[in-house]
Amino acid sequence: MSRLLAALGAKDGLTRYVGGAVRDGLLGLPVNDVDLATRLLPDEVVERLQAAGLKAVPTGIEHGTITAVSDGHPYEITTLRRDVETFGRRATVAFTDDWKEDAARRDFTINALMADPVTGEVFDYFDGIADLEQRHLRFIGDPFERIAEDHLRILRFFRFHARFGRGDPDGAALAACRQRANDLMALSRERIADELTKLLSVDDPVPTVKVMLDAAILKPVLPEIAPDAWQALKALIEAERAAACPGDPLRRLSALLPRDPAVAADIAARLKLSNKARKRLACAASSAIADDPRETAYRDGSECAVDRLLLADRSADAAAVAAWPVPRLPVGGGALIKRGVSEGPMVSRTLRAIEDRWIAAGYPDGADLDAIVTDAVAAAR
């Protein structure tokens, strides 16, 4: 890191830490990603990095962003910018050497903080430190204008409020998000899914989700989510904690959706979720749970069974299933053929019969399993 900062002229005041690294550092939180803002133009950044023997990747060079790799860690370095035109999700930018002008184009006051890497001095142009101390999330400038510049900021506002905010959301920001909620329809569903997943990953997203549903923020893009769906989310999170199961954003999303596998699958497809995530949402949307929950885990998978049990507020059963290693039927078709079962459909029918009895008997092995197989083979002859 020191070689990177030296190459970028940090001691000469050319480069600063910016955004989340400064915010999280002031809060005493772990700093995972370090972003840098610089007065250097992108071409000069690349030249300096290469001269220092550091890898430079032009990940967003048209917008002034270079990714440097130092000691195996990536660092985003972005030339100071100002917006020339904005289009709701993208912008035409021009480079500048004015720190405040660059800070002014960021979304929230707590994300516009900068720090000198050498002296540690923090630069706060919009009272972000005061907002951070009060855990108050506030747009820089007019919230309507900031949302018009980038519609994703509606969802980012609620995500950051859920993570850093305390108490009621900023009134001006909430009013702007409510009035511009239809702007979400212009966003890709992948971006919406990403923001929702991050929001639902925080320790307790319920108060923020309730505000969103009360204000009909999600209605334009997810009209299936009922205004009172936050109650199901609240119950789920309480069940997760009781079962000592880590909070899971997909499971929490399923709590907000109707208990209809077809509807859940449609929403998952609309959000462009992975095939695995689509199957999981559809599976969780079913309320079917066997008398012995282990059977549900065996037939539908442990993850699905835990989801259904937690959604049904059966935390003890969910904890037990989560800790249960799902067995595999220890008999195959080849073994049945060797014991005299005719090849073809009879093999699969016999396997199903064995499996049903094996499950009902509690997944035995040894002599008990052999007795089940012997009886099934005799019946098949």
Side-chain angles (χ1 to χ4, degrees):
M1 184 66 179
S2 58
R3 186 157 56 120
L4 173 64
L5 293 172
L8 296 175
K11 66 181 179 60
D12 300 318
L14 295 177
T15 299
R16 295 176 179 174
Y17 296 130
V18 66
V22 183
R23 177 200 67 220
D24 292 351
L26 289 172
L27 288 172
L29 299 173
V31 175
N32 298 314
D33 298 316
V34 176
D35 294 334
L36 299 163
T38 183
R39 283 176 160 166
L40 301 169
L41 293 173
D43 289 344
E44 189 174 359
V45 170
V46 172
E47 290 174 6
R48 285 177 172 242
L49 292 174
Q50 292 176 342
L54 297 170
K55 184 178 180 180
V57 183
T59 47
I61 196 167
E62 69 278 6
H63 290 102
T65 300
I66 307 294
T67 298
V69 180
S70 178
D71 299 322
H73 298 286
Y75 300 91
E76 279 199 356
I77 305 151
T78 303
T79 300
L80 299 182
R81 301 172 293 183
R82 60 181 175 84
D83 289 333
V84 176
E85 287 184 286
T86 57
F87 307 94
R89 187 58 204 131
R90 55 190 176 85
T92 301
V93 300
F95 300 129
T96 179
D97 62 358
D98 187 325
W99 298 105
K100 184 175 182 180
E101 193 171 28
D102 181 84
R105 68 181 300 277
R106 298 176 185 272
D107 47 13
F108 312 117
T109 61
I110 65 172
N111 289 344
L113 299 167
M114 299 181 178
D116 189 305
V118 178
T119 67
E121 180 183 359
V122 176
F123 301 90
D124 179 11
Y125 301 106
F126 304 103
D127 295 325
I129 291 177
D131 288 335
L132 206 56
E133 289 173 346
Q134 297 172 23
R135 296 301 186 101
H136 184 69
L137 189 67
R138 184 168 57 88
F139 279 102
I140 296 171
D142 183 346
F144 285 93
E145 293 180 6
R146 307 328 304 268
I147 292 171
E149 293 166 357
D150 183 350
H151 305 325
L152 194 66
R153 285 173 174 164
I154 295 172
L155 296 180
R156 282 174 60 83
F157 172 76
F158 292 105
R159 170 163 68 91
F160 278 90
H161 177 74
R163 185 178 177 197
F164 298 109
R166 183 181 297 141
D168 294 333
D170 180 80
L174 179 58
C177 290
R178 186 198 303 264
Q179 292 186 43
R180 300 208 63 126
N182 282 338
D183 290 350
L184 293 176
M185 297 176 71
L187 296 174
S188 74
R189 296 306 181 260
E190 294 94 331
R191 300 305 298 268
I192 292 172
D194 182 59
E195 286 296 323
L196 279 179
T197 299
K198 291 175 179 176
L199 166 61
L200 293 172
S201 295
V202 305
D203 184 54
D204 184 10
V206 172
T208 299
V209 170
K210 183 179 185 303
V211 170
M212 295 176 74
L213 297 182
D214 288 346
I217 300 298
L218 295 175
K219 188 174 182 179
V221 289
L222 290 171
E224 297 89 350
I225 297 180
D228 63 351
W230 63 270
Q231 296 179 32
L233 177 62
K234 182 175 185 291
L236 169 66
I237 291 174
E238 290 173 353
E240 287 178 337
R241 291 172 178 168
C245 287
D248 185 279
L250 267 181
R251 184 191 300 128
R252 291 175 174 186
L253 175 59
S254 70
L256 297 173
L257 304 180
R259 293 294 184 272
D260 184 326
V263 172
D266 178 69
I267 291 171
R270 196 188 318 156
L271 292 175
K272 305 295 178 65
L273 300 180
S274 68
N275 287 335
K276 181 179 178 181
R278 295 181 192 189
K279 291 178 182 177
R280 182 176 176 189
L281 277 186
C283 196
S286 170
S287 59
I289 300 173
D291 292 339
D292 179 352
R294 293 181 303 171
E295 181 176 350
T296 302
Y298 176 80
R299 295 191 184 279
D300 296 321
S302 179
E303 190 174 57
C304 177
V306 170
D307 288 346
R308 288 184 192 170
L309 289 164
L310 290 172
L311 288 164
D313 198 17
R314 294 172 58 175
S315 54
D317 287 334
V321 166
W324 182 58
V326 179
R328 295 184 63 181
L329 181 65
V331 179
L336 298 185
I337 293 171
K338 288 180 180 179
R339 295 182 65 161
V341 178
S342 300
E343 294 186 37
M346 182 57 71
V347 172
S348 59
R349 286 199 295 269
T350 305
L351 277 175
R352 283 197 298 272
I354 291 170
E355 185 176 48
D356 290 342
R357 285 190 58 188
W358 179 66
I359 291 171
Y363 314 92
D365 55 14
D368 290 338
L369 171 65
D370 189 61
I372 292 172
V373 174
T374 299
D375 286 349
V377 168
R381 288 174 178 170

